[in-house]
Amino acid sequence: MHMQMDNVDTPLLKLEHISQVYGSGQRSFTAVQDVNLVLNEGEFVALLGPSGCGKSTLLRLITGLQSPSEGRVFYRGGVMKGVNPHASIVFQTFALFPWLTVLENVEVALKARGIPKKMRTTRALDLLDRVGLDGFETAYPRELSGGMRQKVGFARAMAVEPELLCLDEPFSALDVLSAEALRGELLELWTSGNIPTRALLMVTHSIEEAVFMADRIVIMDKEPGRVVKELRVPLIHPRVRKHPKFLEVVDRVYAILAGQTLPEYLELGTAPGEPGKTRSLPHITLNELTGLLERVAEMPNYRADIYRMAEELKLNSDHLLLLMESAELLGFATITQGDILLTSLGETFAEASILARKEIFASRIRRLPIFKWMIAMLRAADKHRLEWEVVQTALELEFPVDEAERQLDTAVNWGRYAEILAYEDNTGIIYLEPSASLAPGAPAAKEE
Ligand code: ADP
Ligand code: MG
């Protein structure tokens, strides 16, 4: 140990005041501005942020595929010049050579690094085995599924035994199941210590993916691209997505992306029956809200004049204000000077698939006191079910009768969309969806 004393404080990678300008003169454009970032040995860091905030640019700078307009990149304490031979990148999709077999596609990368023929085959076979492609060595790319092709890509990137492995949205082109399987395999390789890789840096669009995999999350924003916040993920592997501690970290990331400024108890109020006022839910439907967010997402700079929106969407202005209030309550938008402006989170939501939208929405409403309270009541109830009347009566402690009913109506409507709650019309029973019924503080069960 003592022999490495001078290396103890030297990070594997360090970005110091990095800026990247593209183009020149009048046309010049600052893609990233004054980024400082440290990556230590043993760390898995995720980079999160809206499209265009410069994530891919940073990866190219880190691997030396391009050099910054300003600032310096240090690798093991030395200023980096040219391509970094100790780093490699896994891209979203791989350009495999269609005329080469799986094995040959991996060997090519080793050949490019000047590794002798005999060693190439041994090493390539070993890697294919580790990523779970044993038995497919002689197959051609066209015979493989998307997930398997991506595994070949991983094997190729790891073939050169990079100390620093960068991943640029590596799972986003895969179907849900292949992505999950490959995430598990990467984590297993990494946590087992069976690969020479010393650090991982992964760009992702998915908050859950970042919290699931990384030790630290670096959050960027754009115009100009910059780092706005970093946070540690204090969870051990294997992580369980529905675990309250997991959800807590997810919520913190959402709050940062939503640009939340007020403390939660001021912004969201208290639970029904507790001292303090409960913030009521605006009575809107989710179709209207998603319609509005999608429309604003099409506008330049994700910003639109509120009254022009009202005209265009044929909404009266009272109702539009309710939609605005919902968008703000959920952290999807801010209102300034008569304009609605999407937050990074709102942008992500508007561009997400239906399934991803439900996930985002669920995370956002789970933090609202009225939902926390309902979920807690249902958890405590026999079979996690309660009659509508019972919940409404409890809400009447806080709201007038009519309003209590309307609040419950909206809560059930939102909770159904988020797949947290369900409601049976014929029996008048509200119940928790099984996936939402894990009790807080429950021991980390194995992910099913
Ligand atoms: P991200 O990966 O976060 O989506 P990128 O790093 O790809 O962001 O791009 C950041 C910004 O820089 C975008 O506005 C993009 O259009 C611009 N950009 C990226 N590469 C180039 C380039 N080679 N020349 C000019 N502009 C570029
Ligand atoms: Mg990119």
Side-chain angles (χ1 to χ4, degrees):
M1 268 308 242
H2 57 273
M3 295 190 60
Q4 288 183 351
M5 274 305 248
D6 10 310
N7 284 336
V8 168
D9 292 332
T10 313
L12 189 65
L13 178 92
K14 186 175 170 200
L15 302 185
E16 202 179 76
H17 302 299
I18 291 288
S19 293
Q20 180 72 58
V21 177
Y22 289 118
S24 60
Q26 290 253 301
R27 294 270 185 91
S28 77
F29 164 77
T30 304
V32 294
Q33 185 170 296
D34 196 22
V35 168
N36 296 288
L37 186 70
V38 163
L39 197 60
N40 293 303
E41 287 199 44
E43 270 195 310
F44 187 151
V45 172
L47 208 54
L48 204 62
S51 306
C53 72
K55 302 180 297 292
S56 298
T57 297
L58 279 187
L59 289 196
R60 288 195 298 270
L61 292 167
I62 285 165
T63 50
L65 294 174
Q66 71 191 50
S67 36
S69 315
E70 271 176 58
R72 292 185 298 178
V73 182
F74 293 89
Y75 193 79
R76 289 196 179 282
V79 176
M80 228 175 68
K81 292 192 191 71
V83 175
N84 182 349
H86 306 292
S88 63
I89 307 191
V90 172
F91 295 99
Q92 189 175 14
T93 51
F94 272 93
L96 299 177
F97 298 116
W99 60 89
L100 297 181
T101 63
V102 164
L103 180 64
E104 288 161 348
N105 262 290
V106 178
E107 286 178 332
V108 159
L110 295 166
K111 189 176 178 189
R113 293 273 164 121
I115 299 189
K117 170 81 179 124
K118 269 190 295 186
M119 280 174 70
R120 291 205 288 264
T121 309
T122 320
R123 223 199 256 186
L125 284 172
D126 177 46
L127 273 160
L128 288 169
D129 193 18
R130 283 198 233 173
V131 297
L133 281 175
D134 194 18
F136 290 91
E137 297 83 359
T138 56
Y140 286 88
R142 64 168 182 278
E143 300 171 61
L144 305 179
S145 68
M148 289 164 94
R149 280 200 289 266
Q150 192 70 345
K151 285 184 184 180
V152 181
F154 271 92
R156 198 158 81 178
M158 284 189 304
V160 297
E161 308 205 322
E163 282 184 328
L164 171 59
L165 184 59
C166 297
L167 307 128
D168 198 348
E169 301 185 36
F171 309 110
S172 58
L174 301 177
D175 63 277
V176 178
L177 290 178
S178 314
E180 193 58 9
L182 206 46
R183 271 182 212 116
E185 269 151 36
L186 177 65
L187 275 176
E188 172 128 15
L189 279 174
W190 170 242
T191 52
S192 70
N194 278 338
I195 47 173
T197 299
R198 306 305 314 143
L200 291 170
L201 182 62
M202 177 177 77
V203 167
T204 173
H205 259 350
S206 158
I207 294 157
E208 275 78 13
E209 183 174 292
V211 177
F212 187 64
M213 302 184 80
D215 305 312
R216 183 154 58 96
I217 301 177
V218 173
I219 298 172
M220 298 182 68
D221 204 354
K222 61 181 180 185
E223 285 160 18
R226 64 199 188 281
V227 172
V228 289
K229 190 107 181 174
E230 291 191 23
L231 80 163
R232 296 212 152 270
V233 182
L235 304 170
I236 50 161
H237 289 289
R239 295 176 185 170
V240 180
R241 283 191 164 87
K242 300 279 191 267
H243 194 279
K245 292 236 156 56
F246 186 96
L247 296 172
E248 204 181 291
V249 180
V250 168
D251 284 350
R252 272 168 55 208
V253 180
Y254 277 115
I256 295 165
L257 287 174
Q260 185 179 308
T261 47
L262 288 175
E264 296 236 311
Y265 69 94
L266 282 181
E267 192 178 26
L268 304 175
T270 59
E274 279 177 11
K277 207 167 157 39
T278 301
R279 175 141 182 188
S280 56
L281 300 175
H283 303 297
I284 54 112
T285 68
L286 290 156
N287 279 339
E288 295 170 322
L289 181 66
T290 51
L292 171 72
L293 296 173
E294 279 168 5
R295 189 65 192 102
V296 180
E298 290 165 3
M299 309 297 274
N301 302 319
Y302 303 97
R303 184 176 185 136
D305 182 273
I306 292 174
Y307 292 98
R308 280 211 359 238
M309 281 285 111
E311 263 175 29
E312 194 188 308
L313 300 170
K314 306 223 178 335
L315 292 168
N316 75 43
S317 55
D318 283 352
H319 198 65
L320 186 73
L321 285 176
L322 284 184
L323 285 175
M324 301 287 164
E325 190 192 332
S326 318
E328 271 197 310
L329 178 68
L330 296 163
F332 294 156
T334 54
I335 312 294
T336 32
Q337 302 158 346
D339 284 358
I340 174 170
L341 175 64
L342 295 192
T343 60
S344 303
L345 183 61
E347 228 177 88
T348 307
F349 181 85
E351 285 161 6
S353 66
I354 305 246
L355 207 66
R357 278 183 181 179
K358 282 176 184 275
E359 249 177 35
I360 295 175
F361 191 74
S363 286
R364 294 310 282 170
I365 65 170
R366 251 195 258 105
R367 76 196 176 106
L368 302 178
I370 199 166
F371 277 98
K372 275 192 186 156
W373 170 83
M374 270 179 75
I375 292 168
M377 281 222 307
L378 286 162
R379 268 186 190 139
D382 184 33
K383 299 199 177 104
H384 298 159
R385 301 165 151 254
L386 284 172
E387 281 172 41
W388 178 287
E389 290 306 320
V390 172
V391 184
Q392 188 180 321
T393 308
L395 277 172
E396 284 166 14
L397 293 172
E398 188 75 34
F399 301 102
V401 178
D402 280 6
E403 184 56 22
E405 183 174 7
R406 297 216 305 160
Q407 282 296 313
L408 187 52
D409 211 43
T410 301
V412 167
N413 184 321
W414 289 17
R416 275 176 145 175
Y417 174 83
E419 297 179 7
I420 292 177
L421 302 178
Y423 174 64
E424 279 173 6
D425 238 348
N426 51 340
T427 55
I429 299 244
I430 300 171
Y431 58 95
L432 266 190
E433 289 279 10
S435 62
S437 55
L438 183 67
K446 195 130 179 65
E447 183 99 314
E448 65 272 32

